[in-house]
Amino acid sequence: MQLSPPPERPAAASPPGGPRQRPGAAGSAARAWGPSRFEGRLADRAVGWLRALLGTLLAGGSVAPAPAATLPPDQAEALFHSYDGGGVKANGPAFLVRKSLADRVSLSAQVYVDAVSNASIDVVTTASPFRETRRAVQLGAQTLVRDATISVSASSSREPDYIADAVNVDLTNEVFGGMTTVSLGYTRGHDQVGKKGLGWIDQALHWQYRAGVTQILTPTWLVSLNAEAIADSGYLGSPYRAARVFGAAVPERNPRTRSSRALELRSVVDTSAWVARSSLRASVRGYADNWQIRATTIEFGGRKRLGERWLLDATLRAYRQSKALFYSDNASTQTLYLSRNRQLSDFNDTAVGARLNYDWPGLAPGHKLVLTASAERMQYRYRDFTDLRTGRPYAFDANVLQLYATATF
């Protein structure tokens, strides 16, 4: 759900089932099963609603109650993504197709491929760099019941040493004449954990519960509040990662249960009265779990129409996290649980991103083609995770690039 998530993306840009924290991974996707996993899923509940609002605002109108719930339009999306940072390079395509049947049911299929070249600090200091490919698929269906939208999906992600499967159910209902939207969701995940040379060694189970409300406060102001709770059980570490005790490497030992809570407040305001066809947004998110991690994310962003064809979006985000109770860079004694996973340490990151959309002209009525390019620059600074190669606190920068096309028909 990525406490430091990439800027709002098309569905094809989000790996089905979500990325998982894998040995040596870095960047936003690496914290998929840490505090950051909430952000993407929390935001997803509101992003569609916010996008609809922004489309109205930037067209020069004000917020008005929707007449009724509607299914998403028939669409096809194709994306190429690239990540480069901290010794990790990942790139590949993603595809999404969505089709309605008799205006009653919308079916979708999504495919995501990630080719990873991993030479992160975890890998180069304890093992050898490696290459692998992750493939993920997701099938989904949406239907309408009066003013409610019911969504069901199943996803599966495959890597040589990790399999993640999940089932999702979401309900969105418009009340009070469309002025308020209430959402509920549930996800059940099952992972199989493997290790090269040993095969499948353990498993992990995940339960996720989410709820949110979006409220139109004025013709130009919308606010959403989203809450999420997750329970994890099973193998929650990495079979490749080592901790340190008096400088000596020992196997990592994490608790086999974890419970997490997150709360996010997001606001979008039409600023066309000051700058033509523009809007601003802001959000703050808090996270806490029983591993004693506390985290806060603050994000600001804005959009501006440039003529009839171009849309510019910019985002600035800051994230701060405290360390887990059993984390230690170099422990002075053996304890029941011990980890040197830097994603459980005390660190912060900042990100700045921009996205540019172009509406392709001259298409037949009812058809639309949008070309998009987005880039994001992230900086990670770890306070108590030492780079064993230099003896200094570890830090790195990362770049994310996405190019995609969305066709509506």
Side-chain angles (χ1 to χ4, degrees), residues 169-186:
V169 179
D170 287 281
L171 170 66
T172 302
N173 191 40
E174 296 180 1
V175 295
F176 303 123
M179 298 293 291
T180 304
T181 301
V182 178
S183 61
L184 298 172
Y186 170 75

Side-chain angles (χ1 to χ4, degrees), residues 145-386:
V145 180
R146 297 185 180 179
D147 291 335
T149 303
I150 301 174
S151 305
V152 179
S153 65
S155 61
S156 182
S157 173
R158 294 288 192 274
E159 298 175 49
D161 58 356
Y162 208 95
I163 297 176
D165 299 315
V167 176
N168 309 277
V169 179
D170 287 281
L171 170 66
T172 302
N173 191 40
E174 296 180 1
V175 295
F176 303 123
M179 298 293 291
T180 304
T181 301
V182 178
S183 61
L184 298 172
Y186 170 75
T187 296
R188 175 68 161 79
H190 176 264
D191 301 348
Q192 295 186 53
V193 184
K195 185 176 182 180
K196 187 176 181 180
L198 297 179
W200 304 110
I201 62 173
D202 212 328
Q203 64 178 358
L205 302 176
H206 311 282
W207 298 264
Q208 181 188 66
Y209 308 87
R210 48 192 176 269
V213 59
T214 301
Q215 178 66 47
I216 297 176
L217 298 179
T218 75
T220 59
W221 184 20
L222 177 147
V223 173
S224 66
L225 181 66
N226 297 279
E228 193 165 287
I230 291 184
D232 303 307
S233 176
Y235 193 88
L236 305 180
S238 167
Y240 301 97
R241 187 178 295 113
R244 288 200 305 163
V245 179
F246 286 113
V250 299
E252 176 187 64
R253 296 186 301 275
N254 286 352
R256 291 185 64 85
T257 60
R258 185 180 190 179
S259 60
S260 315
R261 305 290 185 269
L263 185 66
E264 181 194 56
L265 177 64
R266 179 179 293 244
S267 177
V268 179
V269 178
D270 177 15
T271 55
S272 297
W274 299 280
V275 179
R277 307 180 73 183
S278 67
S279 66
L280 294 176
R281 64 182 182 274
S283 66
V284 58
R285 176 184 174 277
Y287 168 92
D289 65 24
N290 64 348
W291 287 6
Q292 298 302 309
I293 292 179
R294 303 292 183 267
T296 303
T297 303
I298 299 175
E299 180 177 332
F300 298 97
R303 287 186 175 187
K304 175 69 172 72
R305 273 287 178 187
L306 306 176
E308 295 300 319
R309 300 295 177 187
W310 298 91
L311 173 63
L312 178 64
D313 185 292
T315 301
L316 176 64
R317 185 178 59 256
Y319 171 79
R320 178 73 170 85
Q321 173 185 303
S322 64
K323 68 179 182 180
L325 180 65
F326 52 90
Y327 171 84
S328 179
D329 187 36
N330 187 12
S332 58
T333 182
Q334 283 274 17
T335 56
L336 177 61
Y337 302 118
L338 183 63
S339 175
R340 195 174 176 265
N341 177 4
R342 70 178 184 273
Q343 304 301 338
L344 301 180
S345 70
D346 185 339
F347 75 96
N348 68 275
D349 68 63
T350 57
V352 58
R355 183 173 71 247
L356 188 62
N357 293 356
Y358 177 72
D359 294 335
W360 195 271
L363 300 181
H367 293 69
K368 185 177 182 180
L369 176 62
V370 179
L371 306 180
T372 303
S374 70
E376 185 175 30
R377 174 74 171 182
M378 298 176 287
Q379 294 183 329
Y380 294 84
R381 301 294 181 262
Y382 297 85
R383 288 176 172 79
D384 57 354
F385 180 81
T386 303

Side-chain angles (χ1 to χ4, degrees), residues 11 44-45 48-49 69-75 96-109 138-145 148-154 168-173 184:
D44 286 346
R45 306 281 70 81
W49 227 96
T70 58
L71 291 173
D74 295 346
Q75 282 187 333
L96 170 71
V97 175
R98 189 188 306 275
K99 177 64 178 176
S100 296
L101 301 178
D103 295 326
R104 299 290 298 179
V105 177
S106 177
L107 303 179
S108 64
Q138 177 172 291
L139 300 177
Q142 286 183 287
T143 188
L144 298 178
V145 180
T149 303
I150 301 174
S151 305
V152 179
S153 65
N168 309 277
V169 179
D170 287 281
L171 170 66
T172 302
N173 191 40
L184 298 172

Side-chain angles (χ1 to χ4, degrees), residues 1-2 6 9-20 28-30 32-33 40-41 44 79 81 90 93-95 110-114 134-138 153-159 164 166 168 402:
M1 251 202 24
Q2 303 147 353
R9 306 168 295 181
S14 302
R20 54 111 175 171
S28 297
W33 292 119
R41 291 168 179 166
D44 286 346
L79 170 143
H81 66 276
F95 303 96
Q110 180 179 334
V111 179
Y112 184 96
V113 180
D114 214 7
R134 183 172 73 92
R135 296 177 176 86
V137 297
Q138 177 172 291
S153 65
S155 61
S156 182
S157 173
R158 294 288 192 274
E159 298 175 49
N168 309 277
Q402 295 180 343

